[in-house]
Amino acid sequence: MEIRVQDIKELPDVAKQLLRFSCEEKIFLFEGNMGAGKTTLIKAICSLLGVTDEVSSPTYSLINEYESRDGTIFHFDFFRIKSEIEAYDMGFDEYLYSGNYCFIEWPDKIQSLWPSNFIEVIIDQDDSRQRTIKARKV
């Protein structure tokens, strides 16, 4: 799946498409450069899932939890993590296999901890600030 995004107003539609595309899969790995829009897209997805809490990047806390109509959503940001051991020590695998939605930013920092099934979302931004969002089931 590939979607071109020219305006932030398109994100609710992109979020709908991603949720439809994912079917039953609840683990999403978001990749993209700093400022590409990973957290902004996660906000749009959370809104569709009924989250009323403020959705923000968990850069310093590593994880934010949001309540939705379908249960707790876990939002990870591993940008500042030094090693996979930190993720393991925080109980990352328990969150991952909880059956709840898990949105993971900077997943390359914990590559050996990836589950066998997930949705990979790659956000590329060009010089004109247009974005291409690619999603694939792994």
Side-chain angles (χ1 to χ4, degrees):
M1 172 178 156
E2 185 172 315
I3 306 165
R4 293 277 297 161
V5 178
Q6 297 183 21
D7 191 290
I8 196 167
K9 295 174 189 169
E10 298 174 60
L11 288 182
D13 185 53
V14 173
K16 284 180 195 171
Q17 290 181 56
L18 282 172
L19 287 173
R20 255 187 267 128
F21 175 75
S22 70
C23 296
E24 297 297 316
E25 186 56 60
K26 292 186 173 185
I27 299 172
F28 290 73
L29 279 57
F30 291 84
E31 300 178 43
N33 292 332
M34 184 76 71
K38 297 178 294 294
T39 301
T40 305
L41 180 54
I42 291 170
K43 285 180 188 183
I45 296 169
C46 285
S47 178
L48 283 177
L49 294 172
V51 172
T52 57
D53 300 328
E54 181 181 339
V55 175
S56 61
S57 178
T59 302
Y60 295 100
S61 61
L62 297 182
I63 180 172
N64 285 345
E65 296 183 19
Y66 315 114
E67 290 305 318
S68 77
R69 63 180 168 265
D70 297 325
T72 305
I73 295 172
F74 302 112
H75 178 190
F76 300 89
D77 184 330
F78 289 121
F79 180 74
R80 296 189 181 281
I81 202 166
K82 301 282 188 261
S83 74
E84 291 179 344
I85 293 170
E86 286 180 63
Y88 185 78
D89 286 347
M90 70 181 273
F92 176 70
D93 56 331
E94 292 175 33
Y95 293 107
L96 201 60
Y97 297 105
S98 67
N100 294 6
Y101 279 100
C102 291
F103 302 131
I104 305 162
E105 297 186 49
W106 302 99
D108 57 314
K109 302 272 189 150
I110 57 152
Q111 199 162 6
S112 74
L113 301 177
W114 289 4
S116 55
N117 298 309
F118 56 89
I119 303 297
E120 179 182 48
V121 179
I122 300 170
I123 304 173
D124 289 316
Q125 180 178 332
D126 65 20
D127 293 337
S128 66
R129 301 198 45 87
Q130 291 185 358
R131 289 164 174 82
T132 302
I133 300 171
K134 297 175 187 170
R136 71 182 183 110
K137 295 177 183 179
V138 176

